[in-house]
Amino acid sequence: DAKTTQPTSMDCAEGRAANLPCNHSTISGNEYVYWYRQIHSQGPQYIIHGLKNNETNEMASLIITEDRKSSTLILPHATLRDTAVYYCITESYSSASKIIFGSGTRLSIRP
Amino acid sequence: GAVVSQHPSWVICKSGTSVKIECRSLDFQATTMFWYRQFPKQSLMLMATSNEGSKATYEQGVEKDKFLINHASLTLSTLTVTSAHPEDSSFYICSARGNSGDQETQYFGPGTRLLVL
């Protein structure tokens, strides 16, 4: 799987949009970009995924650059409950694939 | 989305005993499940891949005789920590592959916190 690079930590004011960047410059053509988050003492939660088009769901939006070498997860109106570690992962989902977690970005939402 | 459960959510045991942790996919079938371990302030570390009806595949450095994995059905995988010691105390998390729209997605359980005294 391709490696990803994320900032170690970020903070954002409550009610503002939180934009979390991720670099995946070695991503291959059949790999998707997945985002998960882990709230303290819980299992990771799936947020969103995409291949090359921008995606939006009830939780977030995912913007993938045209060259697919980077992406941004957008939480449109951050709340205190969005405080978590956010993981950006690339995954091809072949029969042998498995998710390897990096360090992620620790997002803190301030009141 | 798909739901994965784990049981128990936490367990305390004496050193030398064995502990079994169950991972279930509640509303979908999972031919592949994964087991992770997480120490405080660290990221999740993949321990092994559990395949229904066949032997698990362990990551480098994970002792297969200490961490026994059984995936007897399409909805259940178990991890048994044998002869547990204090250094095995950790947060154990399982995941299972399910479908999200047109693409498989990995869904995670809530985790099991193990404390070995």
Side-chain angles (χ1 to χ4, degrees):
Chain A
D1 290 348
K3 288 185 64 176
T4 63
T5 305
Q6 299 177 251
T8 303
S9 63
M10 294 181 64
D11 68 80
C12 176
E14 190 176 17
R16 296 284 197 170
N19 298 285
L20 290 87
C22 178
N23 286 318
H24 30 79
S25 58
T26 58
I27 192 170
S28 59
N30 65 342
E31 287 183 315
Y32 287 72
V33 179
Y34 280 79
W35 283 83
Y36 289 85
R37 73 180 182 184
Q38 186 179 26
I39 295 170
H40 183 62
S41 294
Q42 298 182 23
Q45 176 188 23
Y46 164 79
I47 300 173
I48 198 168
H49 73 277
L51 183 62
K52 51 185 177 181
N53 296 323
N54 297 338
E55 302 288 344
T56 295
N57 63 21
E58 64 278 4
M59 289 183 67
S61 294
L62 174 60
I63 308 298
I64 302 174
T65 57
E66 193 169 343
D67 64 8
R68 301 210 324 124
K69 293 185 176 182
S70 66
S71 61
T72 301
L73 178 74
I74 301 174
L75 307 178
H77 305 287
T79 70
L80 297 178
R81 287 180 294 181
D82 292 321
T83 294
V85 179
Y86 288 76
Y87 296 98
C88 168
I89 295 160
T90 55
E91 177 63 65
S92 63
Y93 275 113
S94 68
S95 60
S97 65
K98 51 196 176 185
I99 286 184
I100 304 298
F101 284 85
S103 302
T105 295
R106 184 172 296 278
L107 176 66
S108 300
I109 306 300
R110 58 180 188 274
Chain B
V3 178
V4 176
S5 71
Q6 283 184 240
H7 178 80
S9 55
W10 60 269
V11 58
I12 301 173
C13 70
K14 293 182 179 180
S15 186
T17 60
S18 294
V19 175
K20 179 186 284 188
I21 302 170
E22 293 185 349
C23 176
R24 293 181 187 273
S25 55
L26 296 186
D27 49 3
F28 65 102
Q29 294 183 330
T31 55
T32 304
M33 291 184 172
F34 302 87
W35 287 96
Y36 293 81
R37 180 168 56 179
Q38 186 176 34
F39 293 107
K41 298 188 178 181
Q42 295 185 22
S43 187
L44 286 79
M45 186 192 78
L46 180 64
M47 298 175 68
T49 301
S50 170
N51 300 297
E52 187 268 335
S54 64
K55 291 183 179 180
T57 304
Y58 291 83
E59 295 298 304
Q60 192 172 9
V62 178
E63 299 175 57
K64 62 180 181 181
D65 294 330
K66 180 167 184 62
F67 300 100
L68 301 179
I69 292 172
N70 184 281
H71 193 158
S73 78
L74 289 173
T75 60
L76 173 65
S77 175
T78 61
L79 168 69
T80 301
V81 183
T82 62
S83 186
H85 290 284
E87 58 265 29
D88 298 321
S89 299
S90 188
F91 191 44
Y92 291 86
I93 305 168
C94 73
S95 69
R97 281 201 191 132
N99 286 320
S100 173
D102 62 350
Q103 181 63 22
E104 277 198 330
T105 301
Q106 205 160 311
Y107 295 96
F108 289 81
T112 296
R113 195 163 297 281
L114 170 64
L115 177 61
V116 184
L117 301 177

